[in-house]
Amino acid sequence: MNALIREFRGAYAFVERNINLIRRYWGWEIVWLIYSLVNSLAVTYIGAGMERISGKTLDTQYIITYLLVGTLIWSYLSVIFYSISEMIAWERWEGTIEYTFMAPVSRFTHLVGTTLFAIGYGVGRTLVILLIVAAFFHLDLTNANLGGAVLLLLAGSVSFVGLGILAAVLPLLYPERGAQMTNAAAAVLLLISGVYYPVATLPGWLQAIAAGSPATYVIEGMRGCLLHGASTVSLLPTVFYLIGAGIGVTAVGLWVFGRVERYAKRTGRLKRSG
Amino acid sequence: MSVLALKLNKVRKLFYKRDDKSGKFSRRKREVVALDGVSLVVAPGEIFGVLGPNGSGKSTLIRLVSTLLIPDSGEIRVFGHDIVREEAVVKRMINRVSVDAAFFKKFSPLENLSYAARLYGLPMREARVRMRAILARLGLKEEAFTQPMEQLSRGMQQKVAVARGFLTSPILLLLDEPTTGLDPHSKRDVQAFVREIRDTHGATILLTTHDMEEADRLCDRIAVIDNGKIVALGTPAELKRLVKAETGGTPTLEDVFLALTGHRLEETEVEA
């Protein structure tokens, strides 16, 4: 019991630390929020302008909602991904990596704390963007299955936790360029996961890669829920798949991270701040 | 017989660094021996000094004991526990204060200490009281408790680092040049606190320094390290007896270092 309480306190250390980082770097937060908001608006306005672009009569409302769902879900999933993948990069920037790695918390506890924060932060940030974007466009969610959407989003978060851990290995291995490499990984996921267009639009070989991205299933499922009111029961196979894949990717991520941490300790890579 | 606080047995650690002489695009690396078969033992409650210039292997030794590095060969035990196989147990027994006080720079001392307390699983109600008491004992003014670390002087930052190291009540405290770059007043405060930790809490302290006077004043025993090897080990008095002073008076530890290594400490201040 004592060990469990100690681990809980350890996990909460990362939640509190990240909240404090947001408070102290509030200027950055505003800049990033504006960036994400403008990005969402810009993409959604492409939908609003489709009739003018094509010169044909289209279901603009459907396209707007289609793009908006993609952009908001991507906004949420990328927050999860970056919050976890940057857990090492932040330590490098601040120079605290040795202190944190010397502390008696397991990497699993480290991850639990970071994930709890990432989910809370991601939900809060996405809701703010949704509220502002809703003022610009008329969103018709009368047919939406909101409960199913939340379930799908939570299930999809698990996979992104695993992908985040795998990406977090990069700043551990490459002190100077690792953080930038995680951006490249996120960009590939954005390209292949059908965020702004159906995956079927992609060439065959990219579609094959897209089948390995959990975001593909989350975004497709979310569109089913929010645009077509897909029932929760019909979503269950996707939910179970996402949870299973998420647990698998997270387990692999933790294993890889453990190996790389050991390698970093053998070669002295924890010392360099990058 | 009580368990030794720290035991190093033939510890060797190499690093590979890019060979700058082999051309800009070459990937050739040269071998740097940081520790070369180091063996030593530290008794519980002892203040053990490791004296040597920059690049001599002092910080590598501290990082190894801190579980931040894995030895290439040899064995390190903290209170009988192997630092590689029983890493989690060892981590609960130790804490470290490094020469470069690494903090979240925009956090206040209390926020940084709070992070440390939670990481080590301390009950926060007790930890909050303890944080303030230790910071005050180290001479930090109340108004500095909530200021961002980046606005504090180097001396104040180092005092917060010492407070953080002691907050978790380690039974082995690793101090890696804790007073380097401090003004004389701050240096005295930190040194007095180190002695107090040992005397009142029975903690064992492993202290690295290149300050001869500090080593002489604080340490029960000292290992002189040069190029990754221990060249002498004993009490300050024993080390001084090893050599005759150039001046004919009582030799200083600087004289000891010169006689044992063939160079003065300041001549070797080159980062490896």
Side-chain angles (χ1 to χ4, degrees):
Chain A
M1 188 63 186
N2 277 348
L4 198 66
I5 291 170
R6 217 165 45 205
E7 291 302 312
F8 176 76
R9 285 179 184 142
Y12 189 70
F14 297 100
V15 177
E16 186 184 62
R17 182 197 69 177
N18 288 345
I19 291 170
N20 283 335
L21 281 171
I22 287 181
R23 281 175 49 222
R24 298 292 183 179
Y25 290 96
W26 61 269
W28 281 25
E29 285 304 316
I30 290 176
V31 168
W32 282 114
L33 186 64
I34 291 172
Y35 174 81
S36 301
L37 179 63
V38 171
N39 194 41
S40 294
L41 287 172
V43 169
T44 313
Y45 270 118
I46 294 172
M50 277 310 289
E51 281 196 349
R52 285 188 176 85
I53 294 169
S54 66
K56 291 176 183 168
T57 305
L58 298 165
D59 186 352
T60 307
Q61 189 56 46
Y62 180 84
I63 299 173
I64 285 175
T65 315
Y66 182 95
L67 287 171
L68 203 51
V69 169
T71 194
L72 288 173
I73 301 309
W74 179 250
S75 168
Y76 169 77
L77 292 178
S78 59
V79 165
I80 302 280
F81 177 79
Y82 279 119
S83 296
I84 292 165
S85 65
E86 286 180 354
M87 69 183 184
I88 300 304
W90 266 108
E91 302 276 2
R92 289 239 185 247
W93 290 326
E94 296 279 351
T96 51
I97 189 164
E98 287 198 327
Y99 189 78
T100 300
F101 274 63
M102 193 184 69
V105 281
S106 67
R107 224 40 72 212
F108 180 74
T109 301
H110 190 165
L111 176 75
V112 168
T114 309
T115 303
L116 285 175
F117 167 80
I119 291 177
Y121 175 63
V123 167
R125 198 168 180 278
T126 308
L127 278 176
V128 169
I129 295 173
L130 174 65
L131 287 174
I132 298 173
V133 170
F136 285 77
F137 301 101
H138 170 67
L139 292 176
D140 182 11
L141 296 175
T142 44
N143 288 330
N145 171 9
L146 293 174
V150 171
L151 181 67
L152 202 60
L153 205 58
L154 289 176
S157 305
V158 185
S159 297
F160 267 67
V161 169
L163 291 174
I165 305 169
L166 282 170
V169 159
L170 295 169
L172 202 55
L173 275 175
Y174 307 103
E176 288 89 6
R177 290 179 294 276
Q180 288 87 331
M181 288 178 186
T182 60
N183 289 330
V188 171
L189 286 172
L190 175 65
L191 173 73
I192 63 170
S193 305
V195 175
Y196 303 127
Y197 39 78
V199 172
T201 317
L202 296 167
W205 64 277
L206 273 182
Q207 286 185 43
I209 300 173
S213 164
T216 304
Y217 304 98
V218 180
I219 291 167
E220 199 178 289
M222 289 296 280
R223 285 193 174 120
C225 273
L226 297 174
L227 292 169
H228 308 297
S231 70
T232 304
V233 173
S234 70
L235 293 172
L236 287 179
T238 310
V239 168
F240 289 134
Y241 170 77
L242 284 170
I243 291 173
I247 291 171
V249 176
T250 305
V252 170
L254 278 170
W255 182 81
V256 170
F257 196 95
R259 303 289 295 180
V260 172
E261 183 176 340
R262 207 173 162 77
Y263 172 76
K265 286 181 177 181
R266 282 209 178 281
T267 53
R269 281 171 192 250
L270 289 184
K271 182 186 170 190
R272 294 158 66 197
S273 297
Chain B
M1 190 183 142
S2 64
V3 178
L4 289 166
L6 178 65
K7 183 179 178 187
L8 275 79
N9 185 24
K10 295 178 184 166
V11 174
R12 185 172 163 83
K13 186 71 200 163
L14 295 175
F15 294 111
Y16 292 91
K17 301 208 170 181
R18 182 162 291 171
D19 190 352
D20 295 334
K21 290 174 190 166
S22 63
K24 195 176 175 183
F25 300 104
S26 169
R27 296 181 66 84
R28 214 164 72 191
K29 297 199 170 171
R30 69 189 162 90
E31 210 177 73
V32 177
V33 182
L35 286 182
D36 193 2
V38 169
S39 298
L40 59 85
V41 292
V42 180
E46 194 174 12
I47 299 183
F48 188 94
V50 180
L51 187 65
N54 288 338
S56 58
K58 302 189 304 291
S59 293
T60 299
L61 195 154
I62 291 278
R63 282 195 169 86
L64 281 162
V65 181
S66 311
T67 73
L68 293 168
L69 287 172
I70 296 173
D72 296 326
S73 61
E75 185 188 50
I76 302 175
R77 287 188 173 270
V78 173
F79 286 93
H81 299 279
D82 185 277
I83 61 141
V84 179
R85 284 191 293 276
E86 299 169 276
E87 185 186 307
V89 180
V90 170
K91 280 177 167 176
R92 297 223 158 269
M93 297 177 169
I94 60 170
N95 212 321
R96 163 180 172 246
V97 178
S98 64
V99 59
D100 48 343
F103 289 103
F104 289 95
K105 294 174 278 295
K106 294 211 180 282
F107 289 13
S108 68
L110 287 181
E111 285 168 341
N112 272 294
L113 293 187
S114 168
Y115 173 59
R118 289 193 194 280
L119 275 185
Y120 281 78
L122 305 182
M124 281 313 288
R125 196 175 294 176
E126 290 168 34
R128 283 194 193 99
V129 176
R130 203 167 141 75
M131 284 175 209
R132 288 179 174 275
I134 299 171
L135 288 174
R137 164 63 193 84
L138 279 161
L140 223 72
K141 292 195 173 108
E142 185 88 18
E143 59 258 33
F145 291 7
T146 50
Q147 275 178 17
M149 291 295 295
E150 62 188 2
Q151 289 176 16
L152 302 183
S153 68
R154 162 95 178 96
M156 287 161 111
Q157 288 185 12
Q158 198 58 9
K159 285 178 180 179
V160 179
V162 173
R164 184 176 63 177
F166 182 58
L167 176 67
T168 61
S169 306
I171 54 175
L172 174 62
L173 185 57
L174 308 163
L175 302 176
D176 190 5
E177 299 185 29
T179 60
T180 297
L182 297 191
D183 62 81
H185 183 73
S186 297
K187 193 181 262 196
R188 271 199 301 276
D189 282 348
V190 170
Q191 289 172 347
F193 189 63
V194 168
R195 263 198 300 267
E196 188 180 312
I197 290 171
R198 194 271 301 271
D199 296 342
T200 58
H201 297 273
T204 307
I205 294 165
L206 180 67
L207 169 86
T208 73
T209 181
H210 52 190
D211 181 333
M212 304 287 185
E213 201 187 328
E214 179 170 278
D216 203 356
R217 193 184 299 172
L218 281 180
C219 301
D220 300 315
R221 285 191 306 141
I222 295 168
V224 179
I225 188 167
D226 190 35
N227 289 323
K229 287 183 176 171
I230 290 181
V231 293
L233 199 159
T235 64
E238 284 167 352
L239 291 178
K240 287 173 191 171
R241 277 200 296 273
L242 287 175
V243 298
K244 282 187 179 174
E246 289 172 349
T247 54
T250 309
T252 62
L253 281 178
E254 178 74 44
D255 297 324
V256 174
F257 190 84
L258 176 64
L260 293 170
T261 65
H263 43 241
R264 288 199 170 275
L265 193 58
E266 60 268 25
E267 288 169 1
T268 54
E269 298 289 300
V270 181
E271 188 68 44

